[in-house]
């Protein structure tokens, strides 16, 4: 099949560069769900992880390779390429291959730093040795896999002349994609354009490979730099959903895809992404990682299509294009005037959810309907934002090891804040414990720690109201780190150091203490799976 010269391959690294950033940890089951959703959206390459990080990471990538890597894409397209990251070490490359080999279209991605600062301080290698190692490791990766990507790490701060040499040798050794990372988000769009343009003009053999760009957002320029790189001739963009990633994050998938889509005459480039999946995948990633999307985030922020200011509303009523450059439906956000309340039936709910892009199986509809009825009893009007919160809370929860069965708290200015928590355990038995704390949430969390035998440090806790009004649903997000054991450690590909994994949880309820309990329990359930004491199918 011939590919148009204007086709941009979307290489999604949410499950690698995104997931390795602090607090973005997902369980293997969640990663598999995200990979399926990325494949349905039409992503060309899924970087499923860094298999050498830990046995858990290797297994997660293997699962994705086996399943998603063998499922045809949308409209009869081939399955997505499944990629595993490896440092320029034989051991890493062996593990990457072990993880991805069962995919129909596997890719090994190996990288080595090329900037003076990285070569001197991190690698402690001479430039000549870096060229030699890059050549050797691409050659080694080729013994396993025809599709090999090579990245000169910190290319944004590397000497372009040196890059031409390293990249030329990587091509000779058999690399099929050359990825140019602005690892520390340092370059400006003009500089990045010139860097890619220079590589296109001066690297021997460049016409036989795909050039890729991979930008970080430390100066808020990742999307602009990526687009500049594409204009200069790169034909693969490495991106993450919601722009999650190391430090300030990576280039966001939705921004690049929608910029190319909305300003097609400017760029003259196309992708294979079905943009109507963007909103759902964004919510899924936000819920699984417990990293909320900032309200004013382009494309997927809660306010991205809200027109609050009176002057804007007036213009919008006259004609949508006055203030709207994209239709919300294009990114899968469907607005409907239909109001739901306590008299709305299952069919009305189903129609409304379908309108919002949720096509539910009967069992899923039953679960959501039950929760909808309970909510409608408390609230007069159930808004679309309430339904979104219910949906994400019901659909994107990890398999529960312990479930919340009951909760009572006393708090206030008299006496000690006390919580009685009732959980159903994996043995099917009911366990009850009462604890005191500095406040009601602390008391609940202490009782959960006692019942699950997990002692977590709460690193982050946030609560937000989904709609306005005193009866609004409260959404709680937490990030938790286990205090004991080393089972949650994994190696960072860049620093080579071991990192402690942290887990996020999410809960939505009109009672924010119940939402807090659910969020914490969700994170604890993930921790329990990571300890190996339970599996996600227990
Ligand atoms: O930012 C970076 O340099 C990376 C490489 C591993 C490609 O993520
Ligand atoms: Zn990166």
């Amino acid at each position: 099949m011939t590919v148009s010269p204007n086709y941009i391959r979307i290489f999604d690294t949410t499950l690698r560069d995104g997931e390795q950033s602090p607090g973005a940890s997902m369980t293997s089951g969640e990663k598999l769900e995200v990979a399926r959703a990325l494949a349905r959206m039409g992503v060309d390459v899924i970087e499923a992880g860094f298999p050498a990080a830990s046995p858990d990471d290797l297994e997660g990538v293997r699962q994705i390779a086996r399943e998603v890597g063998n499922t045809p894409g949308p409209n009869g397209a081939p399955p997505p390429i499944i990629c595993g990251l490896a440092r320029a070490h034989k051991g890493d490359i062996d593990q990457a291959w072990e993880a991805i080999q069962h995919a129909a279209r596997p890719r090994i991605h190996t990288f080595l730093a090329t900037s003076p600062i990285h070569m001197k301080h991190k690698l402690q290698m001479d430039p000549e040795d870096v060229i030699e190692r890059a050549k050797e490791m691409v050659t080694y990766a080729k013994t396993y896999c025809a599709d090999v990507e090579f990245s000169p790490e910190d290319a944004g701060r590397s000497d372009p002349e040196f890059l031409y040499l390293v990249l030329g040798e990587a091509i000779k050794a058999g690399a099929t994609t050359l990825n140019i990372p602005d690892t520390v988000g340092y370059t400006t769009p003009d500089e990045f354009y010139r860097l890619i343009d220079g590589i296109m003009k001066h690297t021997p053999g460049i016409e036989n490979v795909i050039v890729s760009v991979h930008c970080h957002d430390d100066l808020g320029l990742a999307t602009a730099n990526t687009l500049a790189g594409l204009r200069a001739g790169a034909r693969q963009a490495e991106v993450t959903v919601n722009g999650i990633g190391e430090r300030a994050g990576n280039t966001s998938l939705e921004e690049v895809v929608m910029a190319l889509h909305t300003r097609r005459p400017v760029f003259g480039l196309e992708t294979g992404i079905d943009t109507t999946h963007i909103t759902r995948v964004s919510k899924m990633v936000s819920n699984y990682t417990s990293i909320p999307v900032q309200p004013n985030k382009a494309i997927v922020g809660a306010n991205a299509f809200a027109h609050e200011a009176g002057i804007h509303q007036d213009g919008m009523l006259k004609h949508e294009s006055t203030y709207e450059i994209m239709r919300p439906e294009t990114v899968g956000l469907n607005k409907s005037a239909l109001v739901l309340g306590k008299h709305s039936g299952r069919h009305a709910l189903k129609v409304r959810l379908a309108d919002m892009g949720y096509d539910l199986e009967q069992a899923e509809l039953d679960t959501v309907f039950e929760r909808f009825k309970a909510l409608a009893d408390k609230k007069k009007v159930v808004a679309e934002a309430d339904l979104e919160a219910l949906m994400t809370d019901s659909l994107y929860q990890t398999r529960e090891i312990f479930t919340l069965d009951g909760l009572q708290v006393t708090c206030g200015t008299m006496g000690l804040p006390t919580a009685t928590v009732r959980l159903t355990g994996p043995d099917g038995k009911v366990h009850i414990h009462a604890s005191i704390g500095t406040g009601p949430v602390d008391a609940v969390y202490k009782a959960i720690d006692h019942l699950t035998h997990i002692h977590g440090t709460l690193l982050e806790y946030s609560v937000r109201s989904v709609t306005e009004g005193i009866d609004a649903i409260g959404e709680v997000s937490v990030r938790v780190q286990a205090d004991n054991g080393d089972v949650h450690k994994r190696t960072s590909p860049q620093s080579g150091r071991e990192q402690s994994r942290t887990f996020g949880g999410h809960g939505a309820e009109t009672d924010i203490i119940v939402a807090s309990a659910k969020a914490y329990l969700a994170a604890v359930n993930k921790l329990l799976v990571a300890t190996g004491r339970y599996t996600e199918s227990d």
Side-chain angles (χ1 to χ4, degrees):
M1 196 180 75
T2 52
V3 178
S4 154
N6 299 329
Y7 185 78
I8 302 301
R9 292 144 190 89
I10 296 295
F11 174 116
D12 183 280
T13 183
T14 306
L15 297 173
R16 200 278 298 169
D17 220 348
E19 206 261 345
Q20 86 190 35
S21 65
S25 282
M26 293 182 239
T27 65
S28 306
E30 289 169 338
K31 289 190 212 168
L32 185 60
E33 276 297 311
V34 171
R36 285 186 187 126
L38 291 171
R40 282 196 296 267
M41 182 159 67
V43 156
D44 303 271
V45 187
I46 296 175
E47 187 163 52
F50 171 48
S54 73
D56 219 29
D57 285 82
L58 191 148
E59 193 43 46
V61 177
R62 189 177 3 228
Q63 241 184 324
I64 293 171
R66 280 214 172 100
E67 202 210 283
V68 183
N70 287 292
T71 308
N75 308 317
I81 293 171
I82 306 295
C83 177
L85 183 72
R87 289 167 295 189
H89 298 165
K90 283 190 171 169
D92 275 24
I93 294 172
D94 294 339
Q95 304 216 47
W97 178 247
E98 199 180 324
I100 59 166
Q101 61 181 307
H102 298 291
R105 301 165 74 208
R107 175 181 294 182
I108 296 174
H109 176 193
T110 188
F111 72 99
L112 188 62
T114 49
S115 65
I117 200 161
H118 275 229
M119 288 192 289
K120 180 165 178 214
H121 298 291
K122 182 174 113 164
L123 300 178
Q124 293 164 344
M125 283 169 78
D126 292 332
E128 298 71 39
D129 297 333
V130 166
I131 298 184
E132 206 44 45
R133 171 83 72 84
K135 219 161 77 179
E136 269 175 30
M137 290 305 118
V138 171
T139 306
Y140 186 66
K142 282 296 271 196
T143 61
Y144 285 127
C145 190
D147 188 352
V148 172
E149 174 168 327
F150 173 73
S151 294
E153 191 191 9
D154 203 17
R157 292 189 298 171
S158 300
D159 172 5
E161 300 289 334
F162 182 60
L163 280 179
Y164 308 151
L165 278 178
V166 181
L167 296 174
E169 289 302 326
I171 294 171
K172 273 199 252 162
T176 40
T177 297
L178 294 177
N179 176 49
I180 312 303
D182 181 18
T183 303
V184 290
Y186 181 69
T187 61
T188 65
D190 282 354
E191 282 171 339
F192 202 63
Y193 179 93
R194 282 198 297 273
L195 180 66
I196 303 299
D197 189 48
I199 288 169
M200 302 302 298
K201 288 183 175 137
H202 303 297
T203 307
I206 201 79
E207 62 287 355
N208 302 320
V209 300
I210 297 294
V211 174
S212 165
V213 285
H214 174 118
C215 299
H216 281 263
D217 206 29
D218 299 65
L219 294 173
L221 294 172
T223 299
N225 286 342
T226 297
L227 294 171
L230 299 180
R231 281 202 305 107
R235 286 296 174 265
Q236 174 176 286
E238 300 203 353
V239 292
T240 62
V241 174
N242 300 338
I244 64 168
E246 292 279 11
R247 306 178 309 279
N250 288 58
T251 305
S252 109
L253 177 148
E254 57 278 5
E255 290 175 16
V256 170
V257 168
M258 289 312 291
L260 297 181
H261 180 92
T262 309
R263 305 303 311 277
R264 196 169 292 157
V266 172
F267 293 102
L269 300 171
E270 62 198 76
T271 72
I273 298 295
D274 179 346
T275 60
T276 61
H277 289 235
I278 284 176
T279 300
R280 280 195 75 183
V281 178
S282 158
K283 283 184 200 307
M284 178 187 270
V285 169
S286 170
N287 278 284
Y288 284 163
T289 57
S290 290
I291 299 181
V293 175
Q294 77 193 57
N296 57 327
K297 164 84 177 63
I299 320 294
V300 291
N303 294 347
F305 291 92
H307 298 273
E308 290 242 12
I311 185 167
H312 287 197
Q313 280 190 353
D314 183 53
M316 288 287 292
L317 290 173
K318 288 182 178 134
H319 200 284
E320 283 140 355
S321 64
T322 45
Y323 286 98
E324 208 168 63
I325 59 164
M326 298 166 271
R327 297 294 304 139
E329 304 83 74
T330 314
V331 296
L333 191 67
N334 296 317
K335 297 270 169 228
S336 159
L338 185 67
V339 168
L340 296 181
K342 72 186 220 182
H343 300 298
S344 306
R346 199 178 293 257
H347 183 67
L349 179 69
K350 186 174 176 185
V351 170
R352 182 63 185 273
L353 290 175
D355 234 27
M356 289 164 60
Y358 293 105
D359 189 11
L360 298 191
E361 306 267 318
Q362 193 56 42
E364 288 171 329
L365 180 66
D366 291 345
T367 314
V368 175
F369 185 65
E370 221 172 277
R371 292 198 63 187
F372 162 75
K373 275 298 193 197
L375 178 66
D377 272 343
K378 294 182 197 152
K379 289 193 75 181
K380 254 217 303 268
V381 171
V382 178
E384 193 163 295
D386 294 318
L387 286 183
E388 280 289 2
L390 272 194
M391 289 306 296
T392 49
D393 200 53
S394 310
L395 295 187
Y396 304 142
Q397 286 293 9
T398 329
R399 159 92 183 87
E400 291 183 313
I401 309 294
F402 285 89
T403 39
L404 184 69
D405 218 33
L407 171 65
Q408 190 180 31
V409 291
T410 49
C411 59
T413 53
M414 282 159 32
L416 291 169
T418 310
T420 307
V421 175
R422 198 171 63 207
L423 301 182
T424 302
D427 51 3
K429 291 195 183 125
V430 172
H431 307 260
I432 302 183
H433 188 73
S435 292
I436 53 170
T438 52
V441 174
D442 185 46
V444 169
Y445 288 7
K446 288 207 164 96
I448 292 177
D449 282 351
H450 179 92
L451 292 170
T452 57
H453 305 290
I454 278 284
H455 297 281
T457 299
L458 187 63
L459 301 178
E460 260 174 46
Y461 171 92
S462 71
V463 57
R464 75 173 191 104
S465 150
V466 168
T467 54
E468 52 295 345
I470 195 73
D471 56 359
I473 287 186
E475 259 186 335
V476 174
S477 297
V478 298
R479 194 149 61 82
V480 177
Q481 185 169 4
D483 289 345
N484 50 2
D486 60 354
V487 284
H488 321 296
K489 295 264 167 71
R490 61 173 169 179
T491 308
S492 150
Q494 275 91 1
S495 68
R497 282 200 287 272
E498 286 211 311
Q499 300 170 319
S500 257
R501 285 179 74 182
T502 62
F503 292 89
H506 177 268
E509 284 288 337
T510 47
D511 182 324
I512 58 163
I513 305 295
V514 179
S516 304
K518 284 179 139 188
Y520 187 70
L521 195 55
V524 166
N525 279 331
K526 289 185 198 177
L527 265 166
L528 283 166
V529 171
T531 61
R533 274 150 57 190
Y534 303 98
T535 66
E536 283 180 81
S537 54
D538 274 332

